[in-house]
Amino acid sequence: SLAKDYGFTLSEAQFDWATIKQKRDAYIERLNGIYAKNLSNSDVQVVEGYAQFMDANTVVVDDQQFVSKHILIATGGYPWVPDLPGAELGISSDGFFELETLPKRCLVVGAGYIATELAGVLNGLGSKVTLALRKDKALRGFDTDLQDELMAQMAENGINIKTKLSLSGLEKTAGGIQANDQDSKAVGEYDCVLWAIGRLPSSGTLGLGKAGLSVNKSGFVETDAQQNTVVKGIYAVGDVTGRAALTPVAIAAGRQLAERLFNNDTQAKFNYDLIPTVMFTHPPIGTVGLSEQQAIEQFGEQEVTVYKSRFVNMLYAVSEHKPATLMKLVCQGVQQKVVGCHIIGDAADEMLQGFAVAITMGATKQDFDDTLAIHPTAGEELVTLV
């Protein structure tokens, strides 16, 4: 539609799922080859198999034993599929990457990163998408303005959002897969049901008890601020710890642990208090620091000042399609230190990285105001908020 608004006449676009799937799979295979090469070049021995502890210093893989004074648990997690009748008729995010064709009708169950991102992808490619939320909003725990704006724009983009919906199970029908609610009433019939309701830690088969370790009630291996478990010499990073389940967080925490253990930086640790993160939803979201509600809870309402702007990106000035961009700064105290930055709209992902540097360094609202606004950009709105 934008092409027409800008004066271009194009033939109708055609999309071939098989083409992108083949290219994506080849790209991932190439990445895996690069990782394998890097490991080999670093003289890292790779052993494939399922590992279990024999004791606090010994791990066994098949019939091989490995003894070390340093052992790192970084087993990640796996998609949670609910224990409901017919749940196996659906797929998880793993199954999404195995799809051979684009489903015409898809029910996405979940409210987090994976659910909202994949719902946007499928909808954008032409699927008729329904998003089922157990409560009333997506992205629970994020700033409420981000939640509201995302849901409004997802609905505007054609996604059918069903709130406060709990499923009782799935049934195979002549026309596809029928989803039923808690009252056993049919919610709808779909070609694909995608479970995106969370991930569980891969900790159950490690034999942790033999090493003197246990997990919490959710199955996570708990650590202190420097990734130490309760057993000396055993560490854990990433999704298996239940702390900020994001790939860059696991990488950064692992690097800090390596600096501490092998480069004499005894104070090295990852800062979990200020994590920039992006959701590749449609539109994308970038956020760092505290939400407005979190800031009020932490500092008190009188200590918190909020600045925000909602506008239409200049890209859409000549278009009837006018999706909004929303930006928000959450500031604390007399100095108005920026403790939260939240963006939803085109290029939010790219904008956030630079602003995250400033906020990590302790920038104030005055620092933002003193920065020249680059015109015409969307990012300039963050340094002109009043």
Side-chain angles (χ1 to χ4, degrees):
S1 61
L2 272 179
K4 182 179 179 181
D5 293 330
Y6 274 87
F8 293 91
T9 301
L10 305 176
S11 60
E12 185 177 351
Q14 300 291 325
F15 171 69
D16 181 51
W17 177 276
T19 297
I20 186 60
K21 182 183 187 303
Q22 179 184 9
K23 290 181 178 292
R24 183 202 64 212
D25 291 349
Y27 176 72
I28 293 173
E29 185 177 357
R30 185 173 69 85
L31 284 181
N32 289 337
I34 292 172
Y35 289 133
K37 184 177 180 180
N38 288 343
L39 289 169
S40 177
N41 291 343
S42 301
D43 294 327
V44 174
Q45 180 186 3
V46 177
V47 179
E48 296 185 3
Y50 290 94
Q52 285 191 319
F53 282 96
M54 289 188 64
D55 56 47
N57 299 108
T58 310
V59 171
V60 61
V61 181
D62 297 330
D63 58 351
Q64 293 181 277
Q65 290 187 18
F66 300 90
V67 178
S68 177
K69 65 178 181 179
H70 299 300
I71 298 177
L72 173 62
I73 301 171
T75 48
Y78 60 94
W80 174 33
V81 175
D83 184 17
L84 295 175
E88 71 281 357
L89 296 173
I91 62 173
S92 68
S93 55
D94 290 345
F96 170 83
F97 290 102
E98 297 172 1
L99 287 173
E100 296 294 338
T101 58
L102 177 68
K104 293 182 179 179
R105 304 165 299 169
C106 187
L107 174 66
V108 179
V109 185
Y113 283 73
I114 295 173
T116 51
E117 288 179 341
L118 294 186
V121 169
L122 290 165
N123 179 68
L125 293 177
S127 289
K128 185 177 181 180
V129 176
T130 298
L131 179 65
L133 308 177
R134 190 166 57 88
K135 295 188 178 181
D136 59 347
K137 291 187 179 182
L139 297 182
R140 294 186 300 273
F142 287 84
D143 192 274
T144 54
D145 282 324
L146 294 181
Q147 296 174 333
D148 293 341
E149 191 64 43
L150 176 64
M151 290 182 64
Q153 294 204 38
M154 290 180 81
E156 179 70 20
N157 290 339
I159 294 175
N160 178 24
I161 302 175
K162 293 182 179 290
T163 61
K164 297 182 179 179
L165 175 64
S166 293
L167 298 181
S168 62
L170 306 178
E171 294 181 37
K172 184 67 176 175
T173 63
I177 302 170
Q178 178 177 299
N180 301 319
D181 65 14
Q182 292 286 23
D183 297 322
S184 298
K185 295 180 180 177
V187 174
E189 194 173 59
Y190 307 93
D191 302 302
C192 175
V193 175
L194 195 158
W195 300 111
I197 55 177
R199 294 176 66 84
L200 300 175
S202 297
S203 60
T205 62
L206 298 177
L208 296 173
K210 294 180 179 179
L213 288 169
S214 59
V215 296
N216 65 19
K217 63 180 181 180
S218 298
F220 294 111
V221 179
E222 295 181 336
T223 68
D224 65 12
Q226 289 190 304
Q227 311 301 145
N228 298 302
T229 69
V230 294
V231 177
K232 182 177 175 59
I234 302 180
Y235 323 96
V237 299
D239 293 10
V240 74
T241 68
R243 298 166 71 187
L246 299 164
T247 301
V249 170
I251 293 171
R255 284 175 173 167
Q256 292 297 325
L257 177 63
E259 288 293 317
R260 180 169 69 86
L261 296 181
F262 307 115
N263 206 24
N264 298 319
D265 187 352
T266 59
Q267 302 304 311
K269 63 180 180 180
F270 177 72
N271 180 10
Y272 285 91
D273 294 329
L274 203 61
I275 299 174
T277 186
V278 165
M279 281 134 285
F280 294 99
T281 46
H282 291 63
I285 290 173
T287 179
V288 60
L290 302 176
S291 69
E292 179 179 350
Q293 188 57 42
Q294 288 170 335
I296 290 172
E297 291 173 358
Q298 184 168 331
F299 302 115
E301 191 166 359
Q302 299 302 316
E303 279 282 301
V304 176
T305 309
V306 173
Y307 301 87
K308 61 182 175 180
S309 174
R310 188 176 186 272
F311 59 94
V312 175
N313 195 305
M314 190 177 290
L315 173 67
Y316 306 102
V318 298
S319 174
E320 294 183 5
H321 179 57
K322 295 188 182 296
T325 292
L326 184 143
M327 296 181 172
K328 181 173 184 177
L329 292 181
V330 181
C331 304
Q332 181 262 325
V334 176
Q335 297 297 319
Q336 295 201 15
K337 180 180 179 181
V338 181
V339 296
C341 178
H342 313 287
I343 314 167
I344 178 170
D346 289 353
D349 44 348
E350 295 293 347
M351 278 186 276
L352 183 73
Q353 186 68 78
F355 285 106
V357 173
I359 294 169
T360 299
M361 294 175 69
T364 65
K365 177 63 165 59
Q366 190 62 53
D367 292 323
F368 275 53
D369 293 343
D370 290 342
T371 301
L372 183 69
I374 304 170
H375 183 75
T377 67
E380 68 177 307
E381 294 286 331
L382 275 175
V383 297
T384 58
L385 291 171
V386 293

